[in-house]
Amino acid sequence: MATRQVLAELADAYRVLSGADVATEVAFESVGGVDAAKRVQAGEAFDLVVLAADAIDKLIATGRVIADSKADLVRSVVAIAVRADAPQPDVGSEEALRRAVLSARTLGYSTGPSGTALLKLFERWGIADTVRDRVVQAPPGVPVGQLVASGEVELGFQQFSEMASQPGIAVLGTMPPGCEIVSTFTGGLCAASRQPEAARALLAFMRSPAAADTKRRYGMEPA
């Protein structure tokens, strides 16, 4: 879900670049990473998949993604948000963020590597048990920002690319120095692809310098 907007724009750019014939029609289906990995693992006939790097590695290990097609596409940082009309705590340093976490009534995080990294950070801070009953994991495919906007979550953590376009919230910033959370999103050719050459060509375009400005516009860096 964190890459859905950038992938849609890159697909459109590739379609134009390729002349928009039938062979270059590209349609991305954006779902939660956990669900996407399960569907590829089950053998659905996708041509390519974009997931967190560790999820791609697991699909390579089971033969569902072709190993030599693995392509790191973007690095995406985690941001912090509150409801638009809520007080905005200081999160500019690691200690300030720790205080904000301890003060929040509820904490929202996502499935996938960024959520795992956040929970590990709470463990490193020695507060995992203290906040355990306050953490809310967003269901797969549901943005954390949506929970923040509705008031279900007071302080939310998710990829900046997802937070930036969510109405009803205020993004306080990205994780401060010392506790940055950066996810690498990676593409790969599915073993079930019916047009592997076209899928490889699209992956090559998404890795190319021509795609860099689009990635940055959505708050990501080329990998």
Side-chain angles (χ1 to χ4, degrees), residues 33-122:
V34 173
D35 289 341
K38 286 180 179 178
R39 291 172 64 181
V40 174
Q41 182 59 42
E44 284 196 44
F46 295 112
D47 292 302
L48 61 88
V49 60
V50 178
L51 290 167
D54 63 336
I56 292 290
D57 288 338
K58 291 176 182 177
L59 291 170
I60 289 173
T62 61
R64 293 302 189 182
V65 167
I66 306 301
D68 70 358
S69 72
K70 180 181 176 181
D72 291 340
L73 300 178
V74 294
R75 290 187 296 272
S76 179
V77 296
V78 166
I80 310 154
V82 295
R83 191 170 175 170
D85 57 358
Q88 298 186 11
D90 177 13
V91 295
S93 67
E94 183 169 353
E95 183 54 37
L97 177 59
R98 185 177 183 275
R99 289 195 299 268
V101 167
L102 286 171
S103 298
R105 294 187 305 275
T106 47
L107 304 158
Y109 73 106
S110 64
T111 58
S114 64
T116 300
L118 184 69
L119 296 182
K120 288 182 178 178
L121 177 64
F122 294 166

Side-chain angles (χ1 to χ4, degrees), residues 10 14 22-23 36 90 99 103 107-108 120 127 155 168 181 198 207 212 214 217:
L10 290 176
Y14 182 69
V22 175
D90 177 13
R99 289 195 299 268
S103 298
L107 304 158
K120 288 182 178 178
I127 64 171
L155 193 66
I181 298 176
R207 284 193 76 182
T214 300
R217 190 158 59 257

Side-chain angles (χ1 to χ4, degrees), residues 125-195:
W125 285 345
I127 64 171
D129 290 339
T130 302
V131 302
R132 192 179 309 280
D133 293 338
R134 290 186 250 162
V135 295
V136 178
Q137 186 179 59
V142 175
V144 173
Q146 185 175 312
L147 303 184
V148 175
S150 70
E152 184 176 345
V153 161
E154 183 175 339
L155 193 66
F157 299 82
Q158 197 167 30
Q159 308 295 333
F160 174 77
S161 59
E162 293 203 63
M163 293 288 200
S165 60
Q166 176 66 47
I169 68 172
V171 178
L172 303 177
T174 57
M175 299 290 284
C179 50
E180 301 94 334
I181 298 176
V182 183
S183 297
T184 298
F185 290 98
T186 301
L189 170 65
C190 295
S193 173
R194 295 168 183 162
Q195 43 184 350

